[in-house]
Amino acid sequence: PGGRGLSGERALSSSASSSPARGSPQDMLLLLLATSGLLLPGIGEKVVTHATSAADVRSWVEQHCSAPGVVGFDTETRPSHRKGRPNPPAVIQLSTMHACLVAQVYIAPRHRLGRRGAWVESAREAREGADGVRHALTATLEDRSILKAGVGVDNDAIDLWQFWGLEVNGRVELAGVAERSRSLARLLATTTGVELSKPKALQASDWAAPLGERQ
């Protein structure tokens, strides 16, 4: 894969920029909890689905993502150690109050076994499955009646367009809900008092390799 050479302005031209979150404190709390993918007391167990095929995506969307509605939205990307050479988004996460979809939309041709292990070829079946996952998400991402709430959603949308031609409509930016809250972890702590633990080692892990249980 490679960047499509499109500017951020082009990537967002058809759907404009994201809308700031508006509504009652209760509405904002629900958006935050849905976006976080957290397992919280009193809400019930949140089922996490790791989608490795188009069928996995279609099944999850049919059960948990009706329109109109709202989902938490985020992406994950393999870290790049080459200046000016970003990697494509590898994972798209969608979350409701009770269910979370971890959809791997890209598996690199090669990946390491562990942090310092040998490089190995990725299985062709896994890579083709990720391609199917990506295509199966297209309609949901484009649907304006399904709001995608998150922090930094415009940047995620630009990356998805530039690398994969995926258009993300119905974006809702949560960064302005609380003063000086520009990350999801800080936003949750400020608004709900909930601490979101996401170790740096996990954030910097290889999201373009077949995912492990911790991811």
Side-chain angles (χ1 to χ4, degrees):
R4 292 172 174 257
L6 302 177
S7 69
E9 288 75 13
R10 171 65 183 86
L12 298 179
S13 62
S14 61
S15 52
S17 60
S18 60
S19 300
R22 295 186 179 91
S24 69
Q26 291 83 0
D27 292 338
M28 295 303 97
L29 179 59
L30 289 175
L31 282 175
L32 285 167
L33 296 181
T35 304
S36 69
L38 291 174
L39 305 173
L40 296 176
I43 294 179
E45 182 177 359
K46 181 170 290 193
V47 179
V48 178
T49 299
H50 174 205
T52 58
S53 69
D56 292 340
V57 173
R58 287 193 290 265
S59 176
W60 190 91
V61 169
E62 183 178 336
Q63 294 180 59
H64 304 292
C65 197
S66 59
V70 59
V71 293
F73 170 77
D74 194 14
T75 66
E76 300 289 353
T77 301
R78 169 192 269 182
S80 175
H81 304 292
R82 298 170 296 176
K83 187 175 181 179
R85 297 284 299 275
N87 287 319
V91 172
I92 295 175
Q93 300 170 8
L94 301 179
S95 181
T96 70
M97 289 292 289
H98 300 287
C100 182
L101 179 71
V102 179
Q104 189 152 24
V105 298
Y106 170 66
I107 293 179
R110 302 173 71 238
H111 65 276
R112 278 188 184 276
L113 293 175
R115 293 185 63 185
R116 299 183 180 179
W119 286 91
V120 298
E121 298 292 326
S122 300
R124 186 181 69 178
E125 293 81 3
R127 298 187 63 202
E128 290 175 349
D131 291 342
V133 167
R134 190 167 65 248
H135 294 305
L137 281 169
T138 300
T140 300
L141 295 177
E142 290 181 349
D143 193 334
R144 295 176 185 274
S145 69
I146 301 175
L147 301 181
K148 292 86 180 176
V151 174
V153 291
D154 281 352
N155 290 333
D156 289 340
I158 289 170
D159 289 342
L160 287 171
W161 175 267
Q162 289 182 325
F163 281 99
W164 302 124
L166 292 174
E167 186 170 7
V168 183
N169 292 322
R171 302 184 305 278
V172 179
E173 179 57 59
L174 295 177
V177 171
E179 187 178 358
R180 298 187 302 278
S181 295
R182 292 293 171 182
S183 72
L184 181 58
R186 183 176 296 177
L187 188 57
L188 275 168
T190 301
T191 309
T192 70
V194 174
E195 296 291 335
L196 177 62
S197 175
K198 191 173 182 181
K200 290 189 179 296
L202 181 60
Q203 295 180 50
S205 60
D206 188 355
W207 297 95
L211 297 182
E213 185 174 345
R214 290 190 65 225
Q215 292 169 302

Short mmCIF file of all heavy atoms in Angstrom, two decimals, residues 44-113:
data_model
loop_
_atom_site.label_atom_id
_atom_site.label_comp_id
_atom_site.label_asym_id
_atom_site.label_seq_id
_atom_site.Cartn_x
_atom_site.Cartn_y
_atom_site.Cartn_z
N GLY A 44 -22.30 -3.70 32.50
CA GLY A 44 -22.33 -5.04 31.95
C GLY A 44 -21.07 -5.34 31.17
O GLY A 44 -20.27 -4.46 30.87
N GLU A 45 -20.91 -6.59 30.84
CA GLU A 45 -19.69 -7.01 30.14
C GLU A 45 -19.72 -6.52 28.69
O GLU A 45 -20.73 -6.63 28.00
CB GLU A 45 -19.57 -8.53 30.16
CG GLU A 45 -18.29 -9.02 29.50
CD GLU A 45 -18.15 -10.53 29.60
OE1 GLU A 45 -19.04 -11.16 30.21
OE2 GLU A 45 -17.16 -11.06 29.07
N LYS A 46 -18.60 -5.97 28.25
CA LYS A 46 -18.49 -5.53 26.86
C LYS A 46 -17.79 -6.63 26.08
O LYS A 46 -16.67 -7.01 26.38
CB LYS A 46 -17.71 -4.22 26.77
CG LYS A 46 -17.59 -3.71 25.34
CD LYS A 46 -17.03 -2.30 25.28
CE LYS A 46 -18.02 -1.29 25.82
NZ LYS A 46 -17.63 0.09 25.49
N VAL A 47 -18.46 -7.14 25.05
CA VAL A 47 -17.92 -8.22 24.25
C VAL A 47 -17.01 -7.64 23.17
O VAL A 47 -17.42 -6.74 22.42
CB VAL A 47 -19.05 -9.04 23.60
CG1 VAL A 47 -18.48 -10.15 22.73
CG2 VAL A 47 -19.97 -9.61 24.67
N VAL A 48 -15.79 -8.13 23.09
CA VAL A 48 -14.82 -7.66 22.10
C VAL A 48 -14.72 -8.69 20.98
O VAL A 48 -14.47 -9.87 21.23
CB VAL A 48 -13.44 -7.43 22.74
CG1 VAL A 48 -12.43 -6.99 21.67
CG2 VAL A 48 -13.52 -6.40 23.85
N THR A 49 -14.96 -8.23 19.76
CA THR A 49 -14.87 -9.09 18.59
C THR A 49 -13.66 -8.69 17.75
O THR A 49 -13.54 -7.54 17.35
CB THR A 49 -16.14 -8.96 17.72
OG1 THR A 49 -17.28 -9.37 18.49
CG2 THR A 49 -16.04 -9.81 16.47
N HIS A 50 -12.77 -9.64 17.51
CA HIS A 50 -11.63 -9.41 16.63
C HIS A 50 -12.00 -9.89 15.24
O HIS A 50 -12.12 -11.10 15.00
CB HIS A 50 -10.40 -10.15 17.16
CG HIS A 50 -9.21 -10.08 16.25
ND1 HIS A 50 -8.22 -11.03 16.23
CD2 HIS A 50 -8.87 -9.15 15.31
CE1 HIS A 50 -7.32 -10.71 15.32
NE2 HIS A 50 -7.69 -9.57 14.75
N ALA A 51 -12.23 -8.95 14.34
CA ALA A 51 -12.68 -9.29 12.99
C ALA A 51 -11.49 -9.58 12.09
O ALA A 51 -10.61 -8.74 11.90
CB ALA A 51 -13.50 -8.14 12.40
N THR A 52 -11.48 -10.79 11.52
CA THR A 52 -10.42 -11.18 10.59
C THR A 52 -10.99 -11.51 9.21
O THR A 52 -10.24 -11.95 8.34
CB THR A 52 -9.65 -12.40 11.13
OG1 THR A 52 -10.57 -13.49 11.34
CG2 THR A 52 -8.96 -12.06 12.45
N SER A 53 -12.28 -11.31 9.03
CA SER A 53 -12.90 -11.58 7.73
C SER A 53 -14.07 -10.63 7.53
O SER A 53 -14.59 -10.03 8.48
CB SER A 53 -13.40 -13.02 7.67
OG SER A 53 -14.51 -13.20 8.54
N ALA A 54 -14.50 -10.52 6.28
CA ALA A 54 -15.65 -9.68 5.97
C ALA A 54 -16.90 -10.19 6.68
O ALA A 54 -17.74 -9.39 7.13
CB ALA A 54 -15.88 -9.65 4.45
N ALA A 55 -17.02 -11.49 6.81
CA ALA A 55 -18.19 -12.07 7.49
C ALA A 55 -18.24 -11.63 8.94
O ALA A 55 -19.33 -11.37 9.49
CB ALA A 55 -18.16 -13.59 7.39
N ASP A 56 -17.08 -11.56 9.61
CA ASP A 56 -17.03 -11.09 10.99
C ASP A 56 -17.57 -9.67 11.10
O ASP A 56 -18.34 -9.34 12.02
CB ASP A 56 -15.59 -11.12 11.51
CG ASP A 56 -15.04 -12.52 11.68
OD1 ASP A 56 -15.85 -13.47 11.77
OD2 ASP A 56 -13.80 -12.66 11.72
N VAL A 57 -17.17 -8.81 10.18
CA VAL A 57 -17.62 -7.41 10.19
C VAL A 57 -19.12 -7.32 9.96
O VAL A 57 -19.83 -6.64 10.70
CB VAL A 57 -16.87 -6.58 9.12
CG1 VAL A 57 -17.46 -5.18 9.03
CG2 VAL A 57 -15.39 -6.52 9.44
N ARG A 58 -19.61 -8.01 8.95
CA ARG A 58 -21.04 -7.94 8.64
C ARG A 58 -21.90 -8.42 9.81
O ARG A 58 -22.93 -7.84 10.13
CB ARG A 58 -21.33 -8.75 7.38
CG ARG A 58 -20.83 -8.09 6.10
CD ARG A 58 -21.40 -8.76 4.88
NE ARG A 58 -20.84 -10.10 4.71
CZ ARG A 58 -19.79 -10.38 3.93
NH1 ARG A 58 -19.19 -9.39 3.26
NH2 ARG A 58 -19.35 -11.61 3.81
N SER A 59 -21.45 -9.48 10.47
CA SER A 59 -22.19 -10.01 11.61
C SER A 59 -22.22 -9.02 12.76
O SER A 59 -23.27 -8.79 13.38
CB SER A 59 -21.55 -11.34 12.08
OG SER A 59 -22.19 -11.83 13.24
N TRP A 60 -21.07 -8.37 13.05
CA TRP A 60 -21.01 -7.41 14.16
C TRP A 60 -21.88 -6.19 13.86
O TRP A 60 -22.63 -5.73 14.72
CB TRP A 60 -19.57 -6.99 14.42
CG TRP A 60 -19.40 -6.20 15.68
CD1 TRP A 60 -19.12 -6.69 16.92
CD2 TRP A 60 -19.51 -4.78 15.82
NE1 TRP A 60 -19.04 -5.66 17.83
CE2 TRP A 60 -19.28 -4.48 17.19
CE3 TRP A 60 -19.76 -3.73 14.94
CZ2 TRP A 60 -19.31 -3.17 17.68
CZ3 TRP A 60 -19.80 -2.43 15.44
CH2 TRP A 60 -19.57 -2.16 16.79
N VAL A 61 -21.77 -5.66 12.65
CA VAL A 61 -22.54 -4.48 12.28
C VAL A 61 -24.04 -4.78 12.36
O VAL A 61 -24.83 -3.97 12.87
CB VAL A 61 -22.15 -4.00 10.87
CG1 VAL A 61 -23.13 -2.94 10.37
CG2 VAL A 61 -20.73 -3.44 10.88
N GLU A 62 -24.44 -5.95 11.89
CA GLU A 62 -25.85 -6.32 11.92
C GLU A 62 -26.39 -6.38 13.35
O GLU A 62 -27.52 -5.98 13.62
CB GLU A 62 -26.05 -7.67 11.23
CG GLU A 62 -27.50 -8.11 11.14
CD GLU A 62 -27.66 -9.43 10.40
OE1 GLU A 62 -26.77 -9.76 9.58
OE2 GLU A 62 -28.65 -10.12 10.63
N GLN A 63 -25.57 -6.85 14.28
CA GLN A 63 -26.01 -7.01 15.67
C GLN A 63 -25.91 -5.73 16.49
O GLN A 63 -26.72 -5.50 17.39
CB GLN A 63 -25.17 -8.09 16.35
CG GLN A 63 -25.37 -9.49 15.80
CD GLN A 63 -24.51 -10.50 16.54
OE1 GLN A 63 -24.62 -10.66 17.76
NE2 GLN A 63 -23.63 -11.17 15.81
N HIS A 64 -24.89 -4.88 16.21
CA HIS A 64 -24.57 -3.81 17.15
C HIS A 64 -24.57 -2.41 16.56
O HIS A 64 -24.38 -1.44 17.29
CB HIS A 64 -23.19 -4.06 17.76
CG HIS A 64 -23.04 -5.39 18.43
ND1 HIS A 64 -23.71 -5.71 19.60
CD2 HIS A 64 -22.32 -6.49 18.10
CE1 HIS A 64 -23.39 -6.94 19.96
NE2 HIS A 64 -22.56 -7.43 19.08
N CYS A 65 -24.76 -2.25 15.27
CA CYS A 65 -24.50 -0.94 14.66
C CYS A 65 -25.66 -0.53 13.77
O CYS A 65 -25.52 -0.40 12.55
CB CYS A 65 -23.21 -1.00 13.86
SG CYS A 65 -22.52 0.60 13.45
N SER A 66 -26.82 -0.29 14.37
CA SER A 66 -27.98 0.12 13.60
C SER A 66 -27.94 1.62 13.34
O SER A 66 -27.33 2.39 14.07
CB SER A 66 -29.26 -0.24 14.35
OG SER A 66 -29.28 0.38 15.62
N ALA A 67 -28.61 2.04 12.27
CA ALA A 67 -28.69 3.45 11.92
C ALA A 67 -30.12 3.95 12.14
O ALA A 67 -31.08 3.24 11.84
CB ALA A 67 -28.29 3.65 10.46
N PRO A 68 -30.30 5.17 12.67
CA PRO A 68 -29.24 6.07 13.14
C PRO A 68 -28.69 5.61 14.49
O PRO A 68 -29.37 4.93 15.24
CB PRO A 68 -29.98 7.42 13.28
CG PRO A 68 -31.39 7.01 13.61
CD PRO A 68 -31.65 5.75 12.83
N GLY A 69 -27.44 5.97 14.74
CA GLY A 69 -26.83 5.58 16.00
C GLY A 69 -25.47 6.24 16.16
O GLY A 69 -25.09 7.13 15.39
N VAL A 70 -24.74 5.82 17.18
CA VAL A 70 -23.42 6.38 17.46
C VAL A 70 -22.49 5.26 17.89
O VAL A 70 -22.89 4.34 18.61
CB VAL A 70 -23.50 7.48 18.54
CG1 VAL A 70 -24.07 6.92 19.84
CG2 VAL A 70 -22.12 8.10 18.79
N VAL A 71 -21.26 5.33 17.41
CA VAL A 71 -20.23 4.39 17.83
C VAL A 71 -18.96 5.17 18.18
O VAL A 71 -18.71 6.25 17.64
CB VAL A 71 -19.90 3.35 16.72
CG1 VAL A 71 -21.08 2.42 16.48
CG2 VAL A 71 -19.46 4.03 15.44
N GLY A 72 -18.20 4.61 19.08
CA GLY A 72 -16.86 5.13 19.31
C GLY A 72 -15.98 4.72 18.14
O GLY A 72 -16.17 3.66 17.54
N PHE A 73 -15.02 5.57 17.79
CA PHE A 73 -14.21 5.34 16.58
C PHE A 73 -12.75 5.67 16.86
O PHE A 73 -12.43 6.71 17.44
CB PHE A 73 -14.74 6.22 15.44
CG PHE A 73 -13.87 6.27 14.23
CD1 PHE A 73 -13.85 5.20 13.34
CD2 PHE A 73 -13.06 7.36 13.97
CE1 PHE A 73 -13.04 5.24 12.21
CE2 PHE A 73 -12.25 7.42 12.86
CZ PHE A 73 -12.24 6.35 11.97
N ASP A 74 -11.86 4.78 16.44
CA ASP A 74 -10.43 5.01 16.61
C ASP A 74 -9.69 4.14 15.61
O ASP A 74 -10.25 3.19 15.06
CB ASP A 74 -10.00 4.66 18.04
CG ASP A 74 -8.61 5.20 18.39
OD1 ASP A 74 -8.10 6.06 17.64
OD2 ASP A 74 -8.04 4.76 19.39
N THR A 75 -8.42 4.48 15.36
CA THR A 75 -7.58 3.65 14.50
C THR A 75 -6.24 3.41 15.18
O THR A 75 -5.85 4.15 16.10
CB THR A 75 -7.32 4.31 13.13
OG1 THR A 75 -6.54 5.50 13.31
CG2 THR A 75 -8.62 4.65 12.42
N GLU A 76 -5.55 2.38 14.73
CA GLU A 76 -4.20 2.08 15.22
C GLU A 76 -3.30 1.83 14.01
O GLU A 76 -3.74 1.26 13.00
CB GLU A 76 -4.20 0.84 16.12
CG GLU A 76 -5.06 0.96 17.37
CD GLU A 76 -4.50 1.92 18.41
OE1 GLU A 76 -3.37 2.40 18.23
OE2 GLU A 76 -5.20 2.17 19.40
N THR A 77 -2.04 2.26 14.13
CA THR A 77 -1.10 2.18 13.02
C THR A 77 0.25 1.67 13.52
O THR A 77 0.70 2.04 14.61
CB THR A 77 -0.91 3.57 12.38
OG1 THR A 77 -2.18 4.05 11.91
CG2 THR A 77 0.07 3.53 11.22
N ARG A 78 0.89 0.84 12.71
CA ARG A 78 2.25 0.39 13.04
C ARG A 78 3.16 1.61 13.12
O ARG A 78 3.17 2.44 12.21
CB ARG A 78 2.75 -0.58 11.97
CG ARG A 78 4.24 -0.88 12.08
CD ARG A 78 4.76 -1.59 10.84
NE ARG A 78 4.68 -3.03 10.98
CZ ARG A 78 5.11 -3.89 10.04
NH1 ARG A 78 5.63 -3.44 8.91
NH2 ARG A 78 5.01 -5.20 10.24
N PRO A 79 3.94 1.76 14.20
CA PRO A 79 4.84 2.91 14.31
C PRO A 79 5.83 2.95 13.15
O PRO A 79 6.30 1.91 12.68
CB PRO A 79 5.56 2.67 15.65
CG PRO A 79 4.67 1.74 16.41
CD PRO A 79 4.01 0.88 15.39
N SER A 80 6.12 4.15 12.68
CA SER A 80 7.10 4.33 11.62
C SER A 80 8.37 4.96 12.19
O SER A 80 8.31 5.92 12.95
CB SER A 80 6.55 5.24 10.52
OG SER A 80 7.53 5.49 9.54
N HIS A 81 9.50 4.38 11.84
CA HIS A 81 10.79 4.91 12.31
C HIS A 81 11.54 5.62 11.18
O HIS A 81 12.73 5.88 11.29
CB HIS A 81 11.63 3.78 12.89
CG HIS A 81 10.93 3.02 14.00
ND1 HIS A 81 10.67 3.60 15.22
CD2 HIS A 81 10.41 1.77 14.04
CE1 HIS A 81 10.04 2.72 15.99
NE2 HIS A 81 9.86 1.61 15.30
N ARG A 82 10.81 5.90 10.09
CA ARG A 82 11.40 6.61 8.96
C ARG A 82 10.69 7.94 8.78
O ARG A 82 9.49 7.97 8.53
CB ARG A 82 11.29 5.76 7.70
CG ARG A 82 12.03 4.44 7.76
CD ARG A 82 11.67 3.56 6.58
NE ARG A 82 10.25 3.19 6.59
CZ ARG A 82 9.67 2.49 5.64
NH1 ARG A 82 10.36 2.11 4.58
NH2 ARG A 82 8.38 2.19 5.72
N LYS A 83 11.42 9.01 8.91
CA LYS A 83 10.84 10.34 8.82
C LYS A 83 10.19 10.55 7.45
O LYS A 83 10.77 10.27 6.41
CB LYS A 83 11.91 11.41 9.05
CG LYS A 83 11.36 12.82 9.14
CD LYS A 83 12.46 13.81 9.50
CE LYS A 83 11.89 15.22 9.61
NZ LYS A 83 12.95 16.21 9.98
N GLY A 84 8.95 11.03 7.50
CA GLY A 84 8.23 11.30 6.27
C GLY A 84 7.69 10.07 5.57
O GLY A 84 7.21 10.16 4.44
N ARG A 85 7.73 8.91 6.25
CA ARG A 85 7.24 7.66 5.64
C ARG A 85 6.22 7.02 6.57
O ARG A 85 6.49 6.01 7.22
CB ARG A 85 8.41 6.71 5.38
CG ARG A 85 9.46 7.20 4.40
CD ARG A 85 8.98 7.09 2.97
NE ARG A 85 8.70 5.71 2.60
CZ ARG A 85 9.63 4.85 2.17
NH1 ARG A 85 10.91 5.23 2.10
NH2 ARG A 85 9.29 3.62 1.83
N PRO A 86 5.04 7.59 6.68
CA PRO A 86 4.03 7.02 7.58
C PRO A 86 3.54 5.67 7.09
O PRO A 86 3.57 5.37 5.89
CB PRO A 86 2.90 8.06 7.54
CG PRO A 86 3.05 8.70 6.19
CD PRO A 86 4.53 8.75 5.92
N ASN A 87 3.11 4.87 8.01
CA ASN A 87 2.53 3.57 7.68
C ASN A 87 1.01 3.69 7.55
O ASN A 87 0.40 4.61 8.11
CB ASN A 87 2.87 2.55 8.77
CG ASN A 87 4.32 2.12 8.71
OD1 ASN A 87 4.87 1.91 7.63
ND2 ASN A 87 4.95 2.00 9.86
N PRO A 88 0.39 2.79 6.83
CA PRO A 88 -1.07 2.85 6.68
C PRO A 88 -1.78 2.42 7.96
O PRO A 88 -1.25 1.59 8.71
CB PRO A 88 -1.34 1.84 5.55
CG PRO A 88 -0.19 0.89 5.61
CD PRO A 88 0.99 1.70 6.03
N PRO A 89 -2.96 2.95 8.22
CA PRO A 89 -3.75 2.47 9.36
C PRO A 89 -3.98 0.97 9.22
O PRO A 89 -4.32 0.48 8.15
CB PRO A 89 -5.06 3.25 9.24
CG PRO A 89 -4.72 4.45 8.41
CD PRO A 89 -3.67 4.01 7.46
N ALA A 90 -3.78 0.25 10.33
CA ALA A 90 -3.88 -1.20 10.29
C ALA A 90 -5.11 -1.73 11.01
O ALA A 90 -5.58 -2.83 10.71
CB ALA A 90 -2.62 -1.83 10.90
N VAL A 91 -5.64 -0.96 11.97
CA VAL A 91 -6.77 -1.42 12.77
C VAL A 91 -7.79 -0.30 12.88
O VAL A 91 -7.43 0.86 13.10
CB VAL A 91 -6.31 -1.86 14.18
CG1 VAL A 91 -7.51 -2.16 15.08
CG2 VAL A 91 -5.40 -3.08 14.09
N ILE A 92 -9.05 -0.64 12.71
CA ILE A 92 -10.16 0.27 12.99
C ILE A 92 -10.95 -0.31 14.15
O ILE A 92 -11.29 -1.50 14.16
CB ILE A 92 -11.08 0.44 11.76
CG1 ILE A 92 -10.32 1.12 10.62
CG2 ILE A 92 -12.32 1.25 12.13
CD1 ILE A 92 -11.13 1.23 9.34
N GLN A 93 -11.21 0.53 15.14
CA GLN A 93 -11.98 0.11 16.31
C GLN A 93 -13.32 0.84 16.33
O GLN A 93 -13.36 2.06 16.23
CB GLN A 93 -11.21 0.42 17.60
CG GLN A 93 -9.87 -0.27 17.69
CD GLN A 93 -9.03 0.24 18.84
OE1 GLN A 93 -9.50 1.01 19.67
NE2 GLN A 93 -7.79 -0.19 18.90
N LEU A 94 -14.39 0.09 16.45
CA LEU A 94 -15.72 0.64 16.64
C LEU A 94 -16.26 0.10 17.96
O LEU A 94 -16.09 -1.09 18.25
CB LEU A 94 -16.66 0.25 15.49
CG LEU A 94 -16.26 0.69 14.08
CD1 LEU A 94 -17.28 0.19 13.07
CD2 LEU A 94 -16.10 2.20 13.99
N SER A 95 -16.91 0.95 18.74
CA SER A 95 -17.36 0.52 20.06
C SER A 95 -18.73 1.10 20.39
O SER A 95 -19.01 2.26 20.10
CB SER A 95 -16.35 0.96 21.12
OG SER A 95 -16.74 0.54 22.41
N THR A 96 -19.58 0.27 20.99
CA THR A 96 -20.83 0.72 21.57
C THR A 96 -20.73 0.54 23.08
O THR A 96 -19.67 0.17 23.60
CB THR A 96 -22.02 -0.09 21.02
OG1 THR A 96 -21.96 -1.43 21.55
CG2 THR A 96 -22.00 -0.15 19.50
N MET A 97 -21.81 0.78 23.78
CA MET A 97 -21.78 0.61 25.22
C MET A 97 -21.52 -0.83 25.63
O MET A 97 -20.99 -1.10 26.70
CB MET A 97 -23.10 1.08 25.84
CG MET A 97 -23.30 2.58 25.80
SD MET A 97 -22.14 3.46 26.88
CE MET A 97 -22.81 3.01 28.48
N HIS A 98 -21.88 -1.78 24.77
CA HIS A 98 -21.82 -3.19 25.17
C HIS A 98 -20.99 -4.06 24.25
O HIS A 98 -20.83 -5.25 24.53
CB HIS A 98 -23.24 -3.76 25.27
CG HIS A 98 -24.10 -3.05 26.26
ND1 HIS A 98 -23.95 -3.20 27.62
CD2 HIS A 98 -25.12 -2.16 26.08
CE1 HIS A 98 -24.84 -2.45 28.24
NE2 HIS A 98 -25.55 -1.80 27.34
N ALA A 99 -20.47 -3.51 23.18
CA ALA A 99 -19.72 -4.33 22.24
C ALA A 99 -18.63 -3.51 21.57
O ALA A 99 -18.79 -2.31 21.33
CB ALA A 99 -20.66 -4.92 21.18
N CYS A 100 -17.52 -4.16 21.26
CA CYS A 100 -16.38 -3.49 20.64
C CYS A 100 -15.88 -4.34 19.48
O CYS A 100 -15.72 -5.56 19.61
CB CYS A 100 -15.27 -3.29 21.67
SG CYS A 100 -13.83 -2.41 21.02
N LEU A 101 -15.67 -3.70 18.34
CA LEU A 101 -15.14 -4.37 17.16
C LEU A 101 -13.69 -3.92 16.95
O LEU A 101 -13.41 -2.73 16.83
CB LEU A 101 -15.96 -4.01 15.92
CG LEU A 101 -15.48 -4.63 14.60
CD1 LEU A 101 -15.75 -6.14 14.57
CD2 LEU A 101 -16.14 -3.96 13.41
N VAL A 102 -12.78 -4.87 16.91
CA VAL A 102 -11.38 -4.61 16.58
C VAL A 102 -11.15 -5.22 15.20
O VAL A 102 -11.05 -6.45 15.07
CB VAL A 102 -10.43 -5.22 17.63
CG1 VAL A 102 -8.98 -4.94 17.24
CG2 VAL A 102 -10.73 -4.66 19.01
N ALA A 103 -11.14 -4.37 14.19
CA ALA A 103 -11.11 -4.83 12.80
C ALA A 103 -9.74 -4.57 12.19
O ALA A 103 -9.35 -3.42 12.02
CB ALA A 103 -12.19 -4.12 12.00
N GLN A 104 -9.03 -5.64 11.88
CA GLN A 104 -7.71 -5.48 11.28
C GLN A 104 -7.87 -5.32 9.77
O GLN A 104 -8.27 -6.24 9.06
CB GLN A 104 -6.81 -6.68 11.59
CG GLN A 104 -5.37 -6.44 11.17
CD GLN A 104 -4.39 -7.23 12.01
OE1 GLN A 104 -4.73 -8.25 12.59
NE2 GLN A 104 -3.15 -6.77 12.08
N VAL A 105 -7.58 -4.10 9.29
CA VAL A 105 -7.80 -3.77 7.89
C VAL A 105 -6.53 -3.86 7.05
O VAL A 105 -6.57 -3.65 5.84
CB VAL A 105 -8.42 -2.36 7.75
CG1 VAL A 105 -9.77 -2.29 8.44
CG2 VAL A 105 -7.48 -1.28 8.32
N TYR A 106 -5.40 -4.16 7.69
CA TYR A 106 -4.14 -4.30 6.96
C TYR A 106 -3.18 -5.16 7.75
O TYR A 106 -2.99 -4.97 8.96
CB TYR A 106 -3.50 -2.92 6.70
CG TYR A 106 -2.09 -2.99 6.16
CD1 TYR A 106 -1.84 -3.53 4.90
CD2 TYR A 106 -1.02 -2.52 6.90
CE1 TYR A 106 -0.54 -3.59 4.40
CE2 TYR A 106 0.28 -2.57 6.40
CZ TYR A 106 0.52 -3.11 5.16
OH TYR A 106 1.79 -3.18 4.67
N ILE A 107 -2.60 -6.13 7.07
CA ILE A 107 -1.51 -6.93 7.63
C ILE A 107 -0.33 -6.78 6.68
O ILE A 107 -0.45 -7.04 5.48
CB ILE A 107 -1.89 -8.41 7.81
CG1 ILE A 107 -2.98 -8.54 8.88
CG2 ILE A 107 -0.69 -9.26 8.17
CD1 ILE A 107 -3.46 -9.96 9.11
N ALA A 108 0.80 -6.37 7.20
CA ALA A 108 1.98 -6.12 6.39
C ALA A 108 2.52 -7.44 5.81
O ALA A 108 2.30 -8.51 6.38
CB ALA A 108 3.06 -5.43 7.22
N PRO A 109 3.23 -7.38 4.70
CA PRO A 109 3.79 -8.60 4.11
C PRO A 109 4.73 -9.35 5.06
O PRO A 109 4.81 -10.57 5.01
CB PRO A 109 4.54 -8.09 2.88
CG PRO A 109 3.87 -6.80 2.54
CD PRO A 109 3.47 -6.19 3.85
N ARG A 110 5.43 -8.59 5.92
CA ARG A 110 6.36 -9.21 6.86
C ARG A 110 6.16 -8.59 8.24
O ARG A 110 5.82 -7.42 8.36
CB ARG A 110 7.82 -9.03 6.42
CG ARG A 110 8.12 -9.59 5.04
CD ARG A 110 9.53 -9.24 4.59
NE ARG A 110 10.54 -9.97 5.32
CZ ARG A 110 11.53 -9.42 6.02
NH1 ARG A 110 11.63 -8.10 6.09
NH2 ARG A 110 12.42 -10.16 6.64
N HIS A 111 6.40 -9.38 9.28
CA HIS A 111 6.31 -8.86 10.65
C HIS A 111 7.30 -9.61 11.54
O HIS A 111 7.77 -10.69 11.21
CB HIS A 111 4.89 -9.00 11.20
CG HIS A 111 4.45 -10.43 11.36
ND1 HIS A 111 3.92 -11.16 10.32
CD2 HIS A 111 4.46 -11.27 12.43
CE1 HIS A 111 3.62 -12.37 10.73
NE2 HIS A 111 3.94 -12.47 12.00
N ARG A 112 7.60 -8.99 12.69
CA ARG A 112 8.52 -9.59 13.64
C ARG A 112 7.79 -10.57 14.55
O ARG A 112 6.63 -10.37 14.90
CB ARG A 112 9.17 -8.51 14.52
CG ARG A 112 10.34 -7.81 13.89
CD ARG A 112 11.01 -6.91 14.93
NE ARG A 112 12.08 -6.13 14.39
CZ ARG A 112 13.34 -6.56 14.25
NH1 ARG A 112 13.66 -7.78 14.60
NH2 ARG A 112 14.26 -5.75 13.74
N LEU A 113 8.49 -11.59 14.98
CA LEU A 113 8.00 -12.47 16.02
C LEU A 113 8.45 -11.89 17.36
O LEU A 113 9.61 -12.02 17.76
CB LEU A 113 8.56 -13.89 15.85
CG LEU A 113 8.09 -14.65 14.61
CD1 LEU A 113 8.81 -15.98 14.50
CD2 LEU A 113 6.59 -14.85 14.65
#
